[in-house]
Amino acid sequence: MQIEETVIDHIRVRPRFKMITDISRENYTAFLKDFLASKSGEFSGNVNSETAVITVKTDGDDYLKPCLSLRTETEENKTVIRGVFGPSSAVWTFFMFLYFIFGILWMVFITIWFVEKQIKSSDFPWALSASFIMLLLLAGTYLATRLGQQKAKSEMQQLRKFAEQSILEFKKDTE
């Protein structure tokens, strides 16, 4: 089995992979627990029957510390293992919330400004300034995410290596 890095891995914020196997979910979960225990000096995580979250052990705890989320499902008597690399779900949700709020507020303020200009009113002189502030906040949020991604790049590579090794070891044990 060969694992390749594709162009899409460089583009996606949360790269994903999928593996289909004949082994049961319980056996894979037990294997993953043992594999994580053997790598306990480098990685930490939580493994249960349906999901697993693996992180790299580091000195600091950055806000965009990457993790590997694994989910096992049963489809047509086969086990499907889906993996997602990215920040924790709480951080991901927080940044999506910021993008949503700043985007909606920008649309509201620019609409207020546009309607004010159309009806030749001067009731909301602050609307254009507020829309520019929202654009700056959107840009700041984007820069914060890019900074966090750059800081977490080496940890992301370690997680990818962990995923590849666990899959290769798992395949070797099942053959």
Side-chain angles (χ1 to χ4, degrees):
M1 179 173 137
Q2 184 178 1
I3 301 172
E4 297 179 0
E5 189 170 339
T6 62
V7 174
I8 198 76
D9 292 330
H10 297 288
I11 297 170
R12 293 186 83 154
V13 175
R14 292 175 53 137
R16 302 164 193 273
F17 67 88
K18 176 179 171 182
M19 185 177 83
I20 301 172
T21 183
D22 292 326
I23 200 81
S24 70
R25 287 170 53 177
E26 293 78 21
N27 288 345
Y28 179 73
T29 300
F31 171 80
L32 192 60
K33 282 181 183 178
D34 293 340
F35 189 77
L36 182 61
S38 72
K39 302 278 188 177
S40 63
E42 300 173 61
F43 300 95
S44 64
N46 182 20
V47 180
N48 63 37
S49 62
E50 292 181 5
T51 61
V53 177
I54 314 296
T55 59
V56 178
K57 287 185 178 178
T58 57
D59 294 335
D61 192 21
D62 295 329
Y63 67 96
L64 272 176
K65 183 176 182 175
C67 64
L68 169 61
S69 299
L70 298 170
R71 189 176 76 229
T72 56
E73 302 170 352
T74 304
E75 292 179 5
E76 301 173 5
N77 296 328
K78 297 210 182 257
T79 300
V80 178
I81 303 162
R82 299 176 194 273
V84 178
F85 297 98
S88 71
S89 57
V91 170
W92 179 259
T93 304
F94 174 70
F95 276 95
M96 288 299 105
F97 175 76
L98 288 179
Y99 282 125
F100 177 76
I101 289 298
F102 295 149
I104 294 294
L105 287 174
W106 175 78
M107 287 187 284
V108 167
F109 294 142
I110 202 72
T111 302
I112 289 172
W113 173 79
F114 183 72
V115 169
E116 180 187 44
K117 289 297 170 198
Q118 292 298 314
I119 63 173
K120 296 177 177 49
S121 171
S122 61
D123 292 337
F124 304 101
W126 50 264
L128 185 61
S129 301
S131 70
F132 286 132
I133 290 170
M134 290 304 114
L135 288 176
L136 288 173
L137 289 173
L138 274 168
T141 303
Y142 176 77
L143 290 174
T145 59
R146 296 301 292 175
L147 176 67
Q149 287 174 355
Q150 289 301 316
K151 286 180 71 174
K153 192 170 190 163
S154 66
E155 294 172 8
M156 193 76 154
Q157 290 169 344
Q158 288 176 309
L159 282 173
R160 184 180 180 99
K161 185 177 175 186
F162 175 88
E164 291 173 356
Q165 287 177 347
S166 71
I167 291 169
L168 290 174
E169 289 290 323
F170 177 66
K171 285 292 212 186
K172 193 184 327 176
D173 287 352
T174 60
E175 290 176 348

PDB file of all heavy atoms in Angstrom, residues 3-25:
ATOM      1  N   ILE A   3       0.980   5.438   0.219  1.00  0.00           N
ATOM      2  CA  ILE A   3       0.237   6.621   0.612  1.00  0.00           C
ATOM      3  C   ILE A   3       0.914   7.807  -0.033  1.00  0.00           C
ATOM      4  O   ILE A   3       2.109   8.027   0.152  1.00  0.00           O
ATOM      5  CB  ILE A   3       0.188   6.777   2.142  1.00  0.00           C
ATOM      6  CG1 ILE A   3      -0.469   5.544   2.757  1.00  0.00           C
ATOM      7  CG2 ILE A   3      -0.553   8.034   2.530  1.00  0.00           C
ATOM      8  CD1 ILE A   3      -0.394   5.495   4.255  1.00  0.00           C
ATOM      9  N   GLU A   4       0.162   8.563  -0.797  1.00  0.00           N
ATOM     10  CA  GLU A   4       0.728   9.689  -1.528  1.00  0.00           C
ATOM     11  C   GLU A   4       0.160  10.999  -1.004  1.00  0.00           C
ATOM     12  O   GLU A   4      -0.973  11.065  -0.557  1.00  0.00           O
ATOM     13  CB  GLU A   4       0.406   9.573  -3.016  1.00  0.00           C
ATOM     14  CG  GLU A   4       1.016   8.368  -3.671  1.00  0.00           C
ATOM     15  CD  GLU A   4       0.662   8.254  -5.140  1.00  0.00           C
ATOM     16  OE1 GLU A   4      -0.071   9.127  -5.644  1.00  0.00           O
ATOM     17  OE2 GLU A   4       1.107   7.299  -5.765  1.00  0.00           O
ATOM     18  N   GLU A   5       0.972  12.018  -1.114  1.00  0.00           N
ATOM     19  CA  GLU A   5       0.520  13.360  -0.770  1.00  0.00           C
ATOM     20  C   GLU A   5       0.115  14.033  -2.072  1.00  0.00           C
ATOM     21  O   GLU A   5       0.877  14.075  -3.021  1.00  0.00           O
ATOM     22  CB  GLU A   5       1.642  14.137  -0.087  1.00  0.00           C
ATOM     23  CG  GLU A   5       1.183  15.443   0.487  1.00  0.00           C
ATOM     24  CD  GLU A   5       2.245  16.067   1.368  1.00  0.00           C
ATOM     25  OE1 GLU A   5       3.129  15.349   1.846  1.00  0.00           O
ATOM     26  OE2 GLU A   5       2.172  17.286   1.564  1.00  0.00           O
ATOM     27  N   THR A   6      -1.090  14.536  -2.122  1.00  0.00           N
ATOM     28  CA  THR A   6      -1.601  15.132  -3.354  1.00  0.00           C
ATOM     29  C   THR A   6      -1.664  16.646  -3.229  1.00  0.00           C
ATOM     30  O   THR A   6      -1.467  17.215  -2.154  1.00  0.00           O
ATOM     31  CB  THR A   6      -3.015  14.601  -3.652  1.00  0.00           C
ATOM     32  OG1 THR A   6      -3.872  14.987  -2.578  1.00  0.00           O
ATOM     33  CG2 THR A   6      -3.018  13.092  -3.799  1.00  0.00           C
ATOM     34  N   VAL A   7      -1.953  17.289  -4.345  1.00  0.00           N
ATOM     35  CA  VAL A   7      -2.084  18.748  -4.369  1.00  0.00           C
ATOM     36  C   VAL A   7      -3.201  19.188  -3.438  1.00  0.00           C
ATOM     37  O   VAL A   7      -3.106  20.210  -2.765  1.00  0.00           O
ATOM     38  CB  VAL A   7      -2.354  19.228  -5.808  1.00  0.00           C
ATOM     39  CG1 VAL A   7      -2.648  20.714  -5.837  1.00  0.00           C
ATOM     40  CG2 VAL A   7      -1.161  18.915  -6.688  1.00  0.00           C
ATOM     41  N   ILE A   8      -4.260  18.407  -3.372  1.00  0.00           N
ATOM     42  CA  ILE A   8      -5.406  18.776  -2.540  1.00  0.00           C
ATOM     43  C   ILE A   8      -5.010  18.863  -1.067  1.00  0.00           C
ATOM     44  O   ILE A   8      -5.581  19.634  -0.310  1.00  0.00           O
ATOM     45  CB  ILE A   8      -6.600  17.816  -2.759  1.00  0.00           C
ATOM     46  CG1 ILE A   8      -7.891  18.431  -2.247  1.00  0.00           C
ATOM     47  CG2 ILE A   8      -6.373  16.494  -2.100  1.00  0.00           C
ATOM     48  CD1 ILE A   8      -8.455  19.471  -3.137  1.00  0.00           C
ATOM     49  N   ASP A   9      -3.980  18.088  -0.650  1.00  0.00           N
ATOM     50  CA  ASP A   9      -3.527  18.158   0.739  1.00  0.00           C
ATOM     51  C   ASP A   9      -2.959  19.527   1.076  1.00  0.00           C
ATOM     52  O   ASP A   9      -2.985  19.950   2.212  1.00  0.00           O
ATOM     53  CB  ASP A   9      -2.458  17.093   1.011  1.00  0.00           C
ATOM     54  CG  ASP A   9      -3.034  15.691   0.962  1.00  0.00           C
ATOM     55  OD1 ASP A   9      -4.226  15.537   1.279  1.00  0.00           O
ATOM     56  OD2 ASP A   9      -2.296  14.766   0.597  1.00  0.00           O
ATOM     57  N   HIS A  10      -2.409  20.205   0.086  1.00  0.00           N
ATOM     58  CA  HIS A  10      -1.844  21.532   0.329  1.00  0.00           C
ATOM     59  C   HIS A  10      -2.917  22.608   0.318  1.00  0.00           C
ATOM     60  O   HIS A  10      -2.734  23.672   0.865  1.00  0.00           O
ATOM     61  CB  HIS A  10      -0.788  21.860  -0.731  1.00  0.00           C
ATOM     62  CG  HIS A  10       0.377  20.928  -0.687  1.00  0.00           C
ATOM     63  ND1 HIS A  10       1.305  20.960   0.316  1.00  0.00           N
ATOM     64  CD2 HIS A  10       0.748  19.925  -1.511  1.00  0.00           C
ATOM     65  CE1 HIS A  10       2.218  20.023   0.102  1.00  0.00           C
ATOM     66  NE2 HIS A  10       1.900  19.380  -1.002  1.00  0.00           N
ATOM     67  N   ILE A  11      -4.049  22.337  -0.328  1.00  0.00           N
ATOM     68  CA  ILE A  11      -5.109  23.331  -0.475  1.00  0.00           C
ATOM     69  C   ILE A  11      -6.084  23.281   0.690  1.00  0.00           C
ATOM     70  O   ILE A  11      -6.471  24.310   1.222  1.00  0.00           O
ATOM     71  CB  ILE A  11      -5.870  23.107  -1.800  1.00  0.00           C
ATOM     72  CG1 ILE A  11      -4.919  23.306  -2.975  1.00  0.00           C
ATOM     73  CG2 ILE A  11      -7.066  24.025  -1.902  1.00  0.00           C
ATOM     74  CD1 ILE A  11      -5.499  22.885  -4.305  1.00  0.00           C
ATOM     75  N   ARG A  12      -6.483  22.095   1.094  1.00  0.00           N
ATOM     76  CA  ARG A  12      -7.519  21.941   2.094  1.00  0.00           C
ATOM     77  C   ARG A  12      -7.067  22.393   3.469  1.00  0.00           C
ATOM     78  O   ARG A  12      -5.947  22.174   3.875  1.00  0.00           O
ATOM     79  CB  ARG A  12      -7.952  20.494   2.180  1.00  0.00           C
ATOM     80  CG  ARG A  12      -8.655  20.046   0.934  1.00  0.00           C
ATOM     81  CD  ARG A  12      -9.165  18.699   1.129  1.00  0.00           C
ATOM     82  NE  ARG A  12     -10.438  18.808   1.814  1.00  0.00           N
ATOM     83  CZ  ARG A  12     -11.377  17.906   1.716  1.00  0.00           C
ATOM     84  NH1 ARG A  12     -11.199  16.865   0.985  1.00  0.00           N
ATOM     85  NH2 ARG A  12     -12.498  18.048   2.362  1.00  0.00           N
ATOM     86  N   VAL A  13      -7.982  22.981   4.190  1.00  0.00           N
ATOM     87  CA  VAL A  13      -7.697  23.390   5.557  1.00  0.00           C
ATOM     88  C   VAL A  13      -7.749  22.172   6.474  1.00  0.00           C
ATOM     89  O   VAL A  13      -6.961  22.050   7.392  1.00  0.00           O
ATOM     90  CB  VAL A  13      -8.722  24.458   6.015  1.00  0.00           C
ATOM     91  CG1 VAL A  13      -8.512  24.811   7.466  1.00  0.00           C
ATOM     92  CG2 VAL A  13      -8.598  25.689   5.152  1.00  0.00           C
ATOM     93  N   ARG A  14      -8.659  21.270   6.191  1.00  0.00           N
ATOM     94  CA  ARG A  14      -8.806  20.063   7.000  1.00  0.00           C
ATOM     95  C   ARG A  14      -8.723  18.835   6.094  1.00  0.00           C
ATOM     96  O   ARG A  14      -9.737  18.282   5.691  1.00  0.00           O
ATOM     97  CB  ARG A  14     -10.136  20.091   7.738  1.00  0.00           C
ATOM     98  CG  ARG A  14     -10.189  21.173   8.796  1.00  0.00           C
ATOM     99  CD  ARG A  14     -11.535  21.272   9.434  1.00  0.00           C
ATOM    100  NE  ARG A  14     -11.984  20.008   9.942  1.00  0.00           N
ATOM    101  CZ  ARG A  14     -12.569  19.827  11.108  1.00  0.00           C
ATOM    102  NH1 ARG A  14     -12.755  20.833  11.894  1.00  0.00           N
ATOM    103  NH2 ARG A  14     -12.975  18.645  11.499  1.00  0.00           N
ATOM    104  N   PRO A  15      -7.487  18.397   5.749  1.00  0.00           N
ATOM    105  CA  PRO A  15      -7.348  17.237   4.856  1.00  0.00           C
ATOM    106  C   PRO A  15      -8.015  15.998   5.451  1.00  0.00           C
ATOM    107  O   PRO A  15      -8.041  15.815   6.659  1.00  0.00           O
ATOM    108  CB  PRO A  15      -5.842  17.037   4.756  1.00  0.00           C
ATOM    109  CG  PRO A  15      -5.235  18.285   5.263  1.00  0.00           C
ATOM    110  CD  PRO A  15      -6.224  18.931   6.169  1.00  0.00           C
ATOM    111  N   ARG A  16      -8.517  15.163   4.570  1.00  0.00           N
ATOM    112  CA  ARG A  16      -9.253  13.964   4.985  1.00  0.00           C
ATOM    113  C   ARG A  16      -8.704  12.736   4.278  1.00  0.00           C
ATOM    114  O   ARG A  16      -8.113  12.837   3.220  1.00  0.00           O
ATOM    115  CB  ARG A  16     -10.727  14.109   4.622  1.00  0.00           C
ATOM    116  CG  ARG A  16     -11.372  15.304   5.241  1.00  0.00           C
ATOM    117  CD  ARG A  16     -12.701  15.646   4.577  1.00  0.00           C
ATOM    118  NE  ARG A  16     -13.128  16.954   4.978  1.00  0.00           N
ATOM    119  CZ  ARG A  16     -13.832  17.212   6.067  1.00  0.00           C
ATOM    120  NH1 ARG A  16     -14.200  16.243   6.845  1.00  0.00           N
ATOM    121  NH2 ARG A  16     -14.167  18.437   6.375  1.00  0.00           N
ATOM    122  N   PHE A  17      -8.946  11.582   4.878  1.00  0.00           N
ATOM    123  CA  PHE A  17      -8.662  10.328   4.204  1.00  0.00           C
ATOM    124  C   PHE A  17      -9.724   9.318   4.598  1.00  0.00           C
ATOM    125  O   PHE A  17     -10.460   9.499   5.573  1.00  0.00           O
ATOM    126  CB  PHE A  17      -7.244   9.813   4.516  1.00  0.00           C
ATOM    127  CG  PHE A  17      -7.034   9.392   5.946  1.00  0.00           C
ATOM    128  CD1 PHE A  17      -7.316   8.103   6.352  1.00  0.00           C
ATOM    129  CD2 PHE A  17      -6.547  10.293   6.874  1.00  0.00           C
ATOM    130  CE1 PHE A  17      -7.116   7.713   7.662  1.00  0.00           C
ATOM    131  CE2 PHE A  17      -6.340   9.919   8.186  1.00  0.00           C
ATOM    132  CZ  PHE A  17      -6.625   8.619   8.580  1.00  0.00           C
ATOM    133  N   LYS A  18      -9.799   8.247   3.813  1.00  0.00           N
ATOM    134  CA  LYS A  18     -10.806   7.208   4.043  1.00  0.00           C
ATOM    135  C   LYS A  18     -10.157   5.874   3.731  1.00  0.00           C
ATOM    136  O   LYS A  18      -9.458   5.730   2.727  1.00  0.00           O
ATOM    137  CB  LYS A  18     -12.001   7.453   3.131  1.00  0.00           C
ATOM    138  CG  LYS A  18     -13.082   6.421   3.187  1.00  0.00           C
ATOM    139  CD  LYS A  18     -14.202   6.833   2.234  1.00  0.00           C
ATOM    140  CE  LYS A  18     -15.228   5.762   2.066  1.00  0.00           C
ATOM    141  NZ  LYS A  18     -16.275   6.162   1.117  1.00  0.00           N
ATOM    142  N   MET A  19     -10.375   4.890   4.608  1.00  0.00           N
ATOM    143  CA  MET A  19      -9.851   3.549   4.397  1.00  0.00           C
ATOM    144  C   MET A  19     -10.970   2.540   4.651  1.00  0.00           C
ATOM    145  O   MET A  19     -11.703   2.664   5.635  1.00  0.00           O
ATOM    146  CB  MET A  19      -8.672   3.297   5.333  1.00  0.00           C
ATOM    147  CG  MET A  19      -7.997   1.976   5.099  1.00  0.00           C
ATOM    148  SD  MET A  19      -6.575   1.744   6.165  1.00  0.00           S
ATOM    149  CE  MET A  19      -7.377   1.153   7.642  1.00  0.00           C
ATOM    150  N   ILE A  20     -11.097   1.580   3.774  1.00  0.00           N
ATOM    151  CA  ILE A  20     -12.112   0.528   3.916  1.00  0.00           C
ATOM    152  C   ILE A  20     -11.389  -0.781   4.169  1.00  0.00           C
ATOM    153  O   ILE A  20     -10.441  -1.124   3.460  1.00  0.00           O
ATOM    154  CB  ILE A  20     -12.986   0.442   2.651  1.00  0.00           C
ATOM    155  CG1 ILE A  20     -13.679   1.775   2.407  1.00  0.00           C
ATOM    156  CG2 ILE A  20     -14.003  -0.682   2.786  1.00  0.00           C
ATOM    157  CD1 ILE A  20     -14.418   1.871   1.098  1.00  0.00           C
ATOM    158  N   THR A  21     -11.834  -1.519   5.191  1.00  0.00           N
ATOM    159  CA  THR A  21     -11.187  -2.775   5.548  1.00  0.00           C
ATOM    160  C   THR A  21     -12.226  -3.813   5.964  1.00  0.00           C
ATOM    161  O   THR A  21     -13.367  -3.480   6.271  1.00  0.00           O
ATOM    162  CB  THR A  21     -10.154  -2.545   6.678  1.00  0.00           C
ATOM    163  OG1 THR A  21      -9.493  -3.772   6.947  1.00  0.00           O
ATOM    164  CG2 THR A  21     -10.813  -2.023   7.926  1.00  0.00           C
ATOM    165  N   ASP A  22     -11.799  -5.063   5.983  1.00  0.00           N
ATOM    166  CA  ASP A  22     -12.689  -6.162   6.382  1.00  0.00           C
ATOM    167  C   ASP A  22     -12.651  -6.438   7.874  1.00  0.00           C
ATOM    168  O   ASP A  22     -13.484  -7.181   8.387  1.00  0.00           O
ATOM    169  CB  ASP A  22     -12.304  -7.443   5.624  1.00  0.00           C
ATOM    170  CG  ASP A  22     -12.592  -7.343   4.148  1.00  0.00           C
ATOM    171  OD1 ASP A  22     -13.582  -6.683   3.788  1.00  0.00           O
ATOM    172  OD2 ASP A  22     -11.828  -7.914   3.349  1.00  0.00           O
ATOM    173  N   ILE A  23     -11.685  -5.881   8.582  1.00  0.00           N
ATOM    174  CA  ILE A  23     -11.550  -6.125  10.015  1.00  0.00           C
ATOM    175  C   ILE A  23     -12.678  -5.408  10.766  1.00  0.00           C
ATOM    176  O   ILE A  23     -13.182  -4.389  10.316  1.00  0.00           O
ATOM    177  CB  ILE A  23     -10.149  -5.673  10.502  1.00  0.00           C
ATOM    178  CG1 ILE A  23      -9.788  -6.326  11.827  1.00  0.00           C
ATOM    179  CG2 ILE A  23     -10.071  -4.194  10.633  1.00  0.00           C
ATOM    180  CD1 ILE A  23      -9.269  -7.701  11.658  1.00  0.00           C
ATOM    181  N   SER A  24     -13.053  -5.913  11.903  1.00  0.00           N
ATOM    182  CA  SER A  24     -14.162  -5.313  12.660  1.00  0.00           C
ATOM    183  C   SER A  24     -13.732  -4.014  13.332  1.00  0.00           C
ATOM    184  O   SER A  24     -12.548  -3.763  13.554  1.00  0.00           O
ATOM    185  CB  SER A  24     -14.666  -6.298  13.722  1.00  0.00           C
ATOM    186  OG  SER A  24     -13.702  -6.436  14.741  1.00  0.00           O
ATOM    187  N   ARG A  25     -14.726  -3.196  13.655  1.00  0.00           N
ATOM    188  CA  ARG A  25     -14.462  -1.926  14.344  1.00  0.00           C
ATOM    189  C   ARG A  25     -13.792  -2.164  15.688  1.00  0.00           C
ATOM    190  O   ARG A  25     -12.898  -1.423  16.087  1.00  0.00           O
ATOM    191  CB  ARG A  25     -15.766  -1.162  14.563  1.00  0.00           C
ATOM    192  CG  ARG A  25     -16.335  -0.568  13.317  1.00  0.00           C
ATOM    193  CD  ARG A  25     -17.723  -0.034  13.503  1.00  0.00           C
ATOM    194  NE  ARG A  25     -17.834   0.901  14.609  1.00  0.00           N
ATOM    195  CZ  ARG A  25     -18.946   1.535  14.922  1.00  0.00           C
ATOM    196  NH1 ARG A  25     -20.047   1.325  14.220  1.00  0.00           N
ATOM    197  NH2 ARG A  25     -18.987   2.370  15.915  1.00  0.00           N
TER     198      ARG A  25
END
